Amino acid sequence: MKKKVALTGDRPSGKLHLGHYIGSLVNRLRLQETYDQYVMIADLQALTDNFEHPEKIRENVFEVAKDYLAVGIDPQKSTLLIQSQIPELAELTFFYLNLVTVARLERNPTVKAEIKQKGYTDTLPAGFFCYPISQAADITAFKAEVVPVGEDQIPMIEQTNEIVGKFNRIYHTDCLVEAEALLSHTPRLVGIDGKNKASKSLGNTIFLSDDAQEIKRKVFMMYTDPNHVKVSDPGQVEGNVVFEYLDAFHANKEEVEDLKERYRKGGLGDTTIKGLLNTTLQALLEPIRARRQALCEDEVREILWQGTQRARLVAQKTLSEVRTAIGIDYFLGRF
Ligand code: ATP
Ligand code: MG
């Protein structure tokens, strides 16, 4: 029986962090066992807001690939690919651009929030504004049915499905397939600042490759309860970053609930809960860091090359179906 298809990806504008891990990577590790999974390094998408710093993207393509392999994305089970090396994705994007209005793009809440965060006014690059359409091309090129993502990506999947519906209707075809977002038990990990989602562009994250000292430093910087001054003071658990991370990463849920209880009552200090979180995160990240350090660049490049070639054949097939559906296959079979 044909396996179902999953597609996911990340922008290589920095290394992967705990938000990626808990929001999406945990599901990808599971999906690769039973799905035909494509894991895309979305360098074209990263360029939409980093086009003046291509060297940053180039460098991080390999960093992100190393993160994937270190976490356990297995090239025998998942296909790793680099977006920019599959030109068919750009062509699909061009067809889809006709099916989405500017007004609809303006309503996309994630893009809206990102425009605000980046301070774009009349400086907003058209490429950035349109990246949800390129993401729709990525998802549909592989006919992905499942997309393991964090919460902020839900509007992208909705927009993709609108494009799929419109395309199939207008061109009387069923060649494009609708996708479903798959969320994890922590679809939105808060940053260490306690204000925003953990995100690389906000500098409020713990990276999978951070060393032991850096992890500890960040844990001890975490926002807790500003009114919890003395150990004996009652403390607030809601909105307390340390507890949000313990909920997300500590295996023993009972122990966490017990600590919350004691923290609320008073008598439990921030140093104790931060110490526990530090131990938890060190245990999670130490083996990942060790596997990462053992990888060599040539080996990683070869894995990406093999995966990208395999993926390109799939994208080519979808693109040819799309051209035929539109009726612009003038030289069918002759290229
Ligand atoms: P940027 O700051 O450039 O937007 P980012 O850190 O938000 O980067 P993305 O590359 O935008 O990371 O996200 C890649 C994937 O990881 C998406 O599926 C996204 O939903 C998920 N993700 C990112 N940050 C988090 C988070 N804090 N919690 C849960 N999921 C996350
Ligand atoms: Mg993001």
Side-chain angles (χ1 to χ4, degrees):
M1 210 178 75
K2 198 180 164 297
K3 283 185 180 176
K4 283 189 158 193
V5 179
L7 174 121
T8 71
D10 302 287
R11 314 177 208 196
S13 48
K15 297 176 185 176
L16 298 187
H17 53 74
L18 286 177
H20 294 114
Y21 181 82
I22 208 70
S24 161
L25 283 168
V26 281
N27 275 335
R28 300 184 202 178
L29 293 176
R30 201 162 50 82
L31 286 178
Q32 72 177 350
E33 300 301 330
T34 47
Y35 279 66
D36 184 10
Q37 178 165 254
Y38 295 85
V39 181
M40 166 182 288
I41 302 183
D43 58 342
L44 288 181
Q45 194 180 115
L47 276 172
T48 64
D49 60 330
N50 290 280
F51 57 91
E52 287 170 307
H53 304 287
E55 66 292 342
K56 177 173 148 196
I57 306 307
R58 185 186 167 93
E59 185 189 319
N60 280 302
V61 163
F62 290 91
E63 296 299 330
V64 168
K66 284 185 193 170
D67 283 330
Y68 287 150
L69 297 169
V71 159
I73 298 291
D74 180 348
Q76 303 296 331
K77 297 176 181 168
S78 293
T79 301
L80 280 93
L81 63 126
I82 306 181
Q83 185 187 29
S84 64
Q85 303 309 296
I86 305 191
E88 288 73 16
L89 299 174
E91 191 173 334
L92 282 176
T93 305
F94 204 72
F95 295 131
Y96 297 169
L97 276 163
N98 300 327
L99 306 183
V100 182
T101 64
V102 171
R104 176 65 182 88
L105 281 169
E106 276 169 348
R107 279 200 306 274
N108 184 312
T110 303
V111 177
K112 228 183 189 169
E114 285 175 334
I115 288 173
K116 196 164 162 224
Q117 180 205 320
K118 291 174 198 301
Y120 287 140
T121 48
D122 55 357
T123 53
L124 173 63
F128 184 82
F129 185 55
C130 295
Y131 88 71
I133 302 178
S134 130
Q135 201 163 319
D138 302 338
I139 295 168
T140 55
F142 300 98
K143 307 203 180 195
E145 295 159 274
V146 172
V147 189
V149 282
E151 197 176 62
D152 61 306
Q153 293 297 306
I154 292 175
M156 306 303 167
I157 315 295
E158 283 169 1
Q159 194 141 30
T160 299
N161 288 340
E162 283 174 28
I163 292 172
V164 168
K166 204 162 172 184
F167 186 95
N168 286 349
R169 197 172 61 248
I170 293 175
Y171 301 114
H172 308 288
T173 176
D174 57 3
C175 73
L176 300 186
V177 176
E178 281 200 8
E180 191 189 327
L182 178 70
L183 298 180
S184 77
H185 57 76
T186 310
R188 183 185 183 279
L189 184 73
V190 70
I192 59 174
D193 56 1
K195 284 196 211 109
N196 300 290
K197 174 194 98 121
S199 138
K200 52 182 139 50
S201 54
L202 293 171
N204 60 357
T205 61
I206 296 178
F207 291 100
L208 301 183
S209 47
D210 277 347
D211 65 24
Q213 226 183 337
E214 183 69 356
I215 295 166
K216 188 170 178 192
R217 191 183 70 81
K218 289 180 179 172
V219 167
F220 278 82
M221 265 170 62
M222 278 180 178
Y223 180 85
T224 55
D225 173 2
N227 300 318
H228 184 244
V229 185
K230 289 196 290 275
V231 173
S232 54
D233 290 341
Q236 194 170 331
V237 164
E238 289 66 35
N240 186 317
V241 179
V242 180
F243 280 110
E244 291 202 26
Y245 276 61
L246 284 172
D247 276 336
F249 297 101
H250 195 64
N252 188 340
K253 303 293 164 217
E254 249 175 65
E255 189 185 350
V256 177
E257 288 313 309
D258 188 51
L259 287 170
K260 284 183 186 171
E261 198 54 42
R262 287 170 54 200
Y263 193 83
R264 283 197 187 100
K265 274 195 203 136
L268 186 61
D270 281 359
T271 319
T272 311
I273 55 169
K274 285 183 172 175
L276 175 68
L277 179 61
N278 180 46
T279 311
T280 305
L281 294 181
Q282 299 287 357
L284 172 72
L285 296 176
E286 200 273 329
I288 295 176
R289 202 163 56 235
R291 280 196 295 272
R292 203 177 190 286
Q293 274 160 5
L295 291 162
C296 79
E297 185 122 346
D298 282 349
E299 179 189 0
V300 176
R301 192 186 303 274
E302 187 58 25
I303 289 169
L304 292 174
W305 166 235
Q306 296 297 338
T308 302
Q309 285 183 92
R310 216 162 43 235
R312 187 164 183 200
L313 294 176
V314 180
Q316 278 171 338
K317 184 161 177 294
T318 304
L319 178 63
S320 111
E321 290 169 12
V322 160
R323 283 165 157 259
T324 299
I326 302 174
I328 53 165
D329 50 351
Y330 315 113
F331 304 124
L332 191 64
R334 293 179 67 186
F335 272 114

